[in-house]
mmCIF file of all heavy atoms in Angstrom:
data_model
loop_
_atom_site.group_PDB
_atom_site.id
_atom_site.type_symbol
_atom_site.label_atom_id
_atom_site.label_comp_id
_atom_site.label_asym_id
_atom_site.label_seq_id
_atom_site.Cartn_x
_atom_site.Cartn_y
_atom_site.Cartn_z
ATOM 1 N N LEU A 401 18.048 -10.301 8.800
ATOM 2 C CA LEU A 401 17.867 -9.786 10.084
ATOM 3 C C LEU A 401 17.247 -10.838 11.057
ATOM 4 O O LEU A 401 17.682 -10.939 12.245
ATOM 5 C CB LEU A 401 16.942 -8.464 9.989
ATOM 6 C CG LEU A 401 17.352 -7.366 9.119
ATOM 7 C CD1 LEU A 401 16.196 -6.353 9.052
ATOM 8 C CD2 LEU A 401 18.627 -6.757 9.687
ATOM 9 N N GLU A 402 16.298 -11.605 10.548
ATOM 10 C CA GLU A 402 15.612 -12.655 11.226
ATOM 11 C C GLU A 402 16.720 -13.691 11.784
ATOM 12 O O GLU A 402 16.557 -14.182 12.894
ATOM 13 C CB GLU A 402 14.607 -13.289 10.430
ATOM 14 C CG GLU A 402 13.534 -13.944 11.196
ATOM 15 C CD GLU A 402 12.278 -14.325 10.328
ATOM 16 O OE1 GLU A 402 12.421 -15.245 9.494
ATOM 17 O OE2 GLU A 402 11.241 -13.566 10.364
ATOM 18 N N ASN A 403 17.649 -13.885 10.991
ATOM 19 C CA ASN A 403 18.733 -14.856 11.335
ATOM 20 C C ASN A 403 19.760 -14.297 12.223
ATOM 21 O O ASN A 403 20.542 -15.037 12.885
ATOM 22 C CB ASN A 403 19.413 -15.458 10.123
ATOM 23 C CG ASN A 403 18.452 -16.258 9.192
ATOM 24 O OD1 ASN A 403 17.562 -16.827 9.723
ATOM 25 N ND2 ASN A 403 18.654 -16.296 7.873
ATOM 26 N N HIS A 404 19.838 -12.937 12.326
ATOM 27 C CA HIS A 404 20.841 -12.362 13.185
ATOM 28 C C HIS A 404 20.386 -12.147 14.595
ATOM 29 O O HIS A 404 21.100 -12.425 15.546
ATOM 30 C CB HIS A 404 21.228 -11.046 12.512
ATOM 31 C CG HIS A 404 22.286 -10.189 13.265
ATOM 32 N ND1 HIS A 404 23.632 -10.491 13.307
ATOM 33 C CD2 HIS A 404 22.095 -9.250 14.208
ATOM 34 C CE1 HIS A 404 24.228 -9.737 14.161
ATOM 35 N NE2 HIS A 404 23.378 -8.886 14.710
ATOM 36 N N PHE A 405 19.223 -11.579 14.809
ATOM 37 C CA PHE A 405 18.740 -11.150 16.081
ATOM 38 C C PHE A 405 18.188 -12.391 16.934
ATOM 39 O O PHE A 405 17.519 -13.108 16.414
ATOM 40 C CB PHE A 405 17.701 -10.024 15.978
ATOM 41 C CG PHE A 405 18.206 -8.683 15.411
ATOM 42 C CD1 PHE A 405 17.780 -8.258 14.196
ATOM 43 C CD2 PHE A 405 19.203 -8.029 16.122
ATOM 44 C CE1 PHE A 405 18.377 -7.042 13.689
ATOM 45 C CE2 PHE A 405 19.736 -6.760 15.636
ATOM 46 C CZ PHE A 405 19.207 -6.353 14.376
ATOM 47 N N THR A 406 18.475 -12.243 18.206
ATOM 48 C CA THR A 406 17.868 -13.175 19.077
ATOM 49 C C THR A 406 16.721 -12.657 19.950
ATOM 50 O O THR A 406 15.947 -13.319 20.496
ATOM 51 C CB THR A 406 18.892 -13.712 20.121
ATOM 52 O OG1 THR A 406 19.485 -12.650 20.831
ATOM 53 C CG2 THR A 406 19.999 -14.561 19.416
ATOM 54 N N CYS A 407 16.529 -11.215 19.835
ATOM 55 C CA CYS A 407 15.383 -10.661 20.484
ATOM 56 C C CYS A 407 14.203 -10.783 19.554
ATOM 57 O O CYS A 407 14.477 -11.049 18.316
ATOM 58 C CB CYS A 407 15.680 -9.180 20.755
ATOM 59 S SG CYS A 407 16.263 -8.158 19.345
ATOM 60 N N PRO A 408 12.981 -10.686 19.996
ATOM 61 C CA PRO A 408 11.816 -10.894 19.160
ATOM 62 C C PRO A 408 11.584 -9.709 18.161
ATOM 63 O O PRO A 408 12.022 -8.592 18.384
ATOM 64 C CB PRO A 408 10.621 -10.885 20.233
ATOM 65 C CG PRO A 408 11.094 -10.197 21.366
ATOM 66 C CD PRO A 408 12.604 -10.407 21.419
ATOM 67 N N ARG A 409 10.918 -10.122 17.085
ATOM 68 C CA ARG A 409 10.576 -9.136 16.053
ATOM 69 C C ARG A 409 9.358 -8.361 16.599
ATOM 70 O O ARG A 409 8.410 -8.967 17.104
ATOM 71 C CB ARG A 409 10.293 -9.821 14.781
ATOM 72 C CG ARG A 409 9.849 -8.808 13.661
ATOM 73 C CD ARG A 409 9.602 -9.609 12.363
ATOM 74 N NE ARG A 409 9.016 -8.686 11.386
ATOM 75 C CZ ARG A 409 8.629 -9.046 10.147
ATOM 76 N NH1 ARG A 409 8.831 -10.356 9.771
ATOM 77 N NH2 ARG A 409 8.087 -8.205 9.257
ATOM 78 N N TRP A 410 9.367 -7.025 16.371
ATOM 79 C CA TRP A 410 8.172 -6.227 16.717
ATOM 80 C C TRP A 410 6.960 -6.473 15.944
ATOM 81 O O TRP A 410 7.104 -6.510 14.737
ATOM 82 C CB TRP A 410 8.563 -4.780 16.787
ATOM 83 C CG TRP A 410 7.491 -3.847 17.256
ATOM 84 C CD1 TRP A 410 6.959 -3.969 18.515
ATOM 85 C CD2 TRP A 410 6.953 -2.733 16.695
ATOM 86 N NE1 TRP A 410 6.031 -2.954 18.662
ATOM 87 C CE2 TRP A 410 5.973 -2.216 17.583
ATOM 88 C CE3 TRP A 410 7.004 -2.165 15.423
ATOM 89 C CZ2 TRP A 410 5.137 -1.056 17.308
ATOM 90 C CZ3 TRP A 410 6.235 -1.087 15.134
ATOM 91 C CH2 TRP A 410 5.322 -0.525 16.030
ATOM 92 N N GLN A 411 5.829 -6.824 16.636
ATOM 93 C CA GLN A 411 4.564 -7.040 15.925
ATOM 94 C C GLN A 411 3.421 -6.028 16.278
ATOM 95 O O GLN A 411 2.320 -6.378 16.280
ATOM 96 C CB GLN A 411 4.118 -8.531 16.182
ATOM 97 C CG GLN A 411 5.080 -9.488 15.833
ATOM 98 C CD GLN A 411 5.204 -9.797 14.296
ATOM 99 O OE1 GLN A 411 4.400 -9.162 13.517
ATOM 100 N NE2 GLN A 411 6.266 -10.489 13.837
ATOM 101 N N GLY A 412 3.918 -4.897 16.781
ATOM 102 C CA GLY A 412 2.950 -3.890 17.119
ATOM 103 C C GLY A 412 2.751 -3.726 18.634
ATOM 104 O O GLY A 412 1.814 -2.937 18.979
ATOM 105 N N GLU A 413 3.546 -4.444 19.454
ATOM 106 C CA GLU A 413 3.337 -4.353 20.918
ATOM 107 C C GLU A 413 3.632 -2.910 21.435
ATOM 108 O O GLU A 413 4.279 -2.081 20.703
ATOM 109 C CB GLU A 413 4.356 -5.260 21.569
ATOM 110 C CG GLU A 413 4.073 -6.749 21.259
ATOM 111 C CD GLU A 413 4.895 -7.306 20.109
ATOM 112 O OE1 GLU A 413 5.325 -6.399 19.292
ATOM 113 O OE2 GLU A 413 5.124 -8.567 19.978
ATOM 114 N N GLU A 414 3.159 -2.738 22.652
ATOM 115 C CA GLU A 414 3.404 -1.396 23.259
ATOM 116 C C GLU A 414 4.909 -1.198 23.504
ATOM 117 O O GLU A 414 5.629 -2.065 23.845
ATOM 118 C CB GLU A 414 2.704 -1.414 24.686
ATOM 119 C CG GLU A 414 3.012 -0.263 25.591
ATOM 120 C CD GLU A 414 2.460 1.054 24.959
ATOM 121 O OE1 GLU A 414 1.296 0.974 24.593
ATOM 122 O OE2 GLU A 414 3.239 2.049 24.943
ATOM 123 N N LEU A 415 5.391 0.040 23.115
ATOM 124 C CA LEU A 415 6.809 0.297 23.107
ATOM 125 C C LEU A 415 7.220 1.204 24.270
ATOM 126 O O LEU A 415 8.392 1.605 24.301
ATOM 127 C CB LEU A 415 7.204 0.879 21.786
ATOM 128 C CG LEU A 415 7.244 -0.196 20.549
ATOM 129 C CD1 LEU A 415 7.503 0.642 19.339
ATOM 130 C CD2 LEU A 415 8.374 -1.185 20.765
ATOM 131 N N ALA A 416 6.287 1.723 24.950
ATOM 132 C CA ALA A 416 6.616 2.712 26.027
ATOM 133 C C ALA A 416 7.728 2.119 26.939
ATOM 134 O O ALA A 416 7.494 1.039 27.567
ATOM 135 C CB ALA A 416 5.394 3.148 26.807
ATOM 136 N N GLY A 417 8.860 2.865 27.066
ATOM 137 C CA GLY A 417 9.951 2.358 27.953
ATOM 138 C C GLY A 417 10.800 1.277 27.398
ATOM 139 O O GLY A 417 11.743 0.828 27.990
ATOM 140 N N LYS A 418 10.445 0.850 26.131
ATOM 141 C CA LYS A 418 11.250 -0.209 25.524
ATOM 142 C C LYS A 418 12.244 0.262 24.601
ATOM 143 O O LYS A 418 12.336 1.492 24.282
ATOM 144 C CB LYS A 418 10.220 -1.194 24.711
ATOM 145 C CG LYS A 418 9.093 -1.746 25.569
ATOM 146 C CD LYS A 418 9.630 -2.764 26.569
ATOM 147 C CE LYS A 418 8.491 -3.425 27.328
ATOM 148 N NZ LYS A 418 8.932 -4.432 28.372
ATOM 149 N N SER A 419 13.079 -0.653 24.059
ATOM 150 C CA SER A 419 13.997 -0.279 23.125
ATOM 151 C C SER A 419 13.768 -1.110 21.742
ATOM 152 O O SER A 419 13.340 -2.245 21.846
ATOM 153 C CB SER A 419 15.477 -0.659 23.579
ATOM 154 O OG SER A 419 15.663 -1.999 23.872
ATOM 155 N N ILE A 420 14.185 -0.583 20.668
ATOM 156 C CA ILE A 420 13.928 -1.275 19.324
ATOM 157 C C ILE A 420 15.022 -0.886 18.460
ATOM 158 O O ILE A 420 15.542 0.217 18.480
ATOM 159 C CB ILE A 420 12.567 -0.892 18.795
ATOM 160 C CG1 ILE A 420 12.272 -1.837 17.579
ATOM 161 C CG2 ILE A 420 12.506 0.579 18.403
ATOM 162 C CD1 ILE A 420 10.749 -1.634 17.174
ATOM 163 N N VAL A 421 15.458 -1.721 17.581
ATOM 164 C CA VAL A 421 16.378 -1.457 16.482
ATOM 165 C C VAL A 421 15.680 -1.635 15.153
ATOM 166 O O VAL A 421 14.977 -2.700 14.887
ATOM 167 C CB VAL A 421 17.631 -2.363 16.626
ATOM 168 C CG1 VAL A 421 17.305 -3.900 16.510
ATOM 169 C CG2 VAL A 421 18.633 -1.997 15.560
ATOM 170 N N ILE A 422 15.778 -0.657 14.204
ATOM 171 C CA ILE A 422 15.336 -0.770 12.881
ATOM 172 C C ILE A 422 16.388 -1.268 12.044
ATOM 173 O O ILE A 422 17.500 -0.701 11.913
ATOM 174 C CB ILE A 422 14.897 0.716 12.441
ATOM 175 C CG1 ILE A 422 13.793 1.250 13.334
ATOM 176 C CG2 ILE A 422 14.306 0.531 11.031
ATOM 177 C CD1 ILE A 422 13.554 2.694 13.081
#
Side-chain angles (χ1 to χ4, degrees):
L401 301 175
E402 204 164 73
N403 293 331
H404 178 81
F405 293 114
T406 58
C407 55
R409 179 179 171 183
W410 186 54
Q411 302 289 350
E413 296 92 339
E414 175 63 46
L415 285 173
K418 302 292 186 178
S419 61
I420 190 169
V421 59
I422 302 171

